[in-house]
Amino acid sequence: MSTNEKILEVKNLKKYFPAGRGKVVKAVDNISFDIYKGETFGLVGESGSGKSTAGRTIIRLYDATEGEVLFKGNNVHAKLSKADQLKFNREMQMIFQDPSSSLNPRMTVMDIIAEGLDVHRLVKNEKERRERVEELLEAVGLNREHANRFPHEFSGGQRQRIGIARALAVEPELIICDEPISALDVSIQAQVVNLLKKLQKERGLTYLFIAHDLSMVKYISDRIGVMHLGHMVELADSDELYKNPIHPYTKSLLSAIPLPDPAYERNRVRQVYDPSQLDTSEEPEFREVRPRHWVRCTTKEFEQYKRELEGKE
Ligand code: ADP
Ligand code: MG
């Protein structure tokens, strides 16, 4: 359940990588958005649009080139005291796309999940450690007995559940889920999404949920931001984004996915994104075309988009 309390504020964030010969890759190029406590914010865009870089910069795996990230009001890129750094490391967690490569194959599930408990001294003794790990295994739909096994003994979906248990162990408030279901069979994807939703409800978690297509994201997200080439081109409540996409790139992403909705399918026409149709008379800015619905556009496009939305529900 989403609240009015901002847990994360991303302000004009940039992350550039050197690309040789004095060139740079503008992986994240001036994006701004807020995430409210308890909500799921979906971040979508095709491969290479800068989603993972955004997530990694937010959690401080990368230094920002420019801009700010405030977590519960505190700038996470500022120099933090050891205690604050440790607290931040606990309160924000990340789940990765490929659970196989993010779980150490030589560690038991017990030790993988307990690592954070040990680092943050969240358990007093071996007995408590085991109990906590077993509780976590059950919370993610695995068995207590799984604690003594190794990652390779599990299926992809189960390994992702282990990754989720590891993140949950330290009782985080915000979890960055970087395409947590993209590597899984379609039949397993919904199970993992449902698990994430259940855990969110039980524990009041906030998610930044990254995905490269819009199909599952609609189901899990309260609001969605669409990224393209390092920019955020559109941001709106999920329903609004699906009903009234405005940016041509969002329209093309949406037109690519089949939805189990006959009315929608009847009208679905595949649209190809053609950036040459965009107005280039000035530098586009992020503008609110109607309450809570933002689009990256020029002043001319802004007027055009507002007209396009007039009278729409
Ligand atoms: P996404 O997660 O949306 O697929 P990424 O954030 O991984 O996108 O990548 C965005 C862009 O930044 C791509 O052009 C990618 O090649 C580049 N990039 C990502 N990580 C690095 C890095 N560590 N060094 C150099 N370039 C990178
Ligand atoms: Mg990625």
Side-chain angles (χ1 to χ4, degrees):
M1 206 211 32
S2 158
T3 60
N4 289 326
E5 189 188 328
K6 284 179 190 170
I7 189 167
L8 189 82
E9 296 163 69
V10 176
K11 298 177 189 248
N12 304 107
L13 188 67
K14 294 184 185 176
K15 178 63 191 177
Y16 294 176
F17 294 109
R21 296 191 192 162
K23 288 200 174 140
V24 292
V25 177
K26 297 181 175 181
V28 172
D29 197 12
N30 200 6
I31 63 170
S32 300
F33 60 98
D34 299 326
I35 301 184
Y36 294 91
K37 193 168 170 54
E39 81 168 334
T40 297
F41 187 95
L43 193 59
V44 302
E46 68 199 67
S47 177
S49 55
K51 307 176 302 292
S52 294
T53 304
R56 286 163 174 264
T57 311
I58 288 168
I59 202 168
R60 227 178 117 157
L61 283 172
Y62 298 147
D63 288 328
T65 302
E66 237 178 74
E68 277 189 342
V69 177
L70 305 186
F71 179 59
K72 300 200 289 183
N74 301 312
N75 184 356
V76 308
H77 286 275
K79 182 134 183 58
L80 300 178
S81 69
K82 244 199 161 123
D84 283 343
Q85 178 69 53
L86 205 61
K87 188 157 173 274
F88 174 73
N89 289 351
R90 193 176 66 70
E91 290 177 335
M92 201 189 287
Q93 290 289 309
M94 193 151 176
I95 301 171
F96 299 91
Q97 172 170 354
D98 183 3
S100 323
S101 63
S102 64
L103 303 178
N104 186 334
R106 280 176 290 276
M107 280 165 73
T108 61
V109 167
M110 166 74 84
D111 289 339
I112 289 170
I113 296 175
E115 207 171 11
L117 297 175
D118 301 338
V119 169
H120 297 281
R121 297 168 201 236
L122 299 176
V123 286
K124 288 200 284 290
N125 51 44
E126 194 57 36
K127 180 167 168 284
E128 220 178 272
R129 188 176 186 262
R130 171 162 288 275
E131 277 168 8
R132 285 290 286 280
V133 169
E134 289 177 348
E135 276 165 27
L136 285 159
L137 283 171
E138 286 185 345
V140 298
L142 295 169
N143 304 325
R144 290 169 172 257
E145 293 72 39
H146 287 147
N148 300 320
R149 300 202 193 154
F150 290 89
H152 71 86
E153 298 175 62
F154 296 88
S155 68
Q158 287 175 319
R159 279 200 285 262
Q160 194 53 283
R161 287 173 194 264
I162 297 168
I164 294 169
R166 175 178 59 180
L168 286 181
V170 294
E171 294 173 17
E173 295 186 32
L174 175 71
I175 303 183
I176 298 179
C177 310
D178 190 358
E179 305 215 29
I181 57 169
S182 303
L184 304 176
D185 283 355
V186 175
S187 60
I188 308 295
Q189 290 185 351
Q191 293 176 14
V192 173
V193 165
N194 285 334
L195 171 66
L196 287 169
K197 286 178 90 158
K198 173 177 142 273
L199 294 167
Q200 176 171 50
K201 213 165 154 195
E202 288 168 0
R203 294 163 194 247
L205 295 165
T206 307
Y207 294 141
L208 172 59
F209 189 93
I210 298 174
H212 64 260
D213 71 46
L214 275 158
S215 50
M216 263 303 168
V217 185
K218 177 184 185 350
Y219 180 58
I220 192 168
S221 307
D222 297 291
R223 289 184 305 140
I224 294 175
V226 180
M227 278 190 76
H228 181 58
L229 296 177
H231 300 292
M232 191 169 281
V233 298
E234 188 156 4
L235 191 170
D237 290 350
S238 296
D239 286 346
E240 167 74 1
L241 192 85
Y242 280 77
K243 241 190 275 165
N244 300 315
I246 283 294
H247 196 281
Y249 179 68
T250 312
K251 288 182 176 174
S252 80
L253 267 190
L254 271 174
S255 75
I257 51 159
L259 288 183
D261 173 352
Y264 174 85
E265 280 303 304
R266 263 196 300 283
N267 299 318
R268 184 162 73 96
V269 181
R270 185 79 174 91
Q271 293 185 34
V272 179
Y273 178 50
D274 175 8
S276 73
Q277 286 172 347
L278 292 178
D279 177 28
T280 51
S281 62
E282 62 180 39
E283 187 61 20
E285 279 176 31
F286 215 40
R287 294 182 160 95
E288 196 169 20
V289 287
R290 68 175 178 186
R292 303 173 62 84
H293 189 159
W294 296 75
V295 185
R296 186 170 194 265
C297 57
T298 62
T299 38
K300 201 171 123 202
E301 288 163 337
F302 183 54
E303 294 310 320
Q304 178 200 324
Y305 293 160
K306 277 198 295 192
R307 276 198 303 278
E308 198 178 319
L309 281 172
E310 259 168 35
K312 283 201 176 162
E313 206 186 296

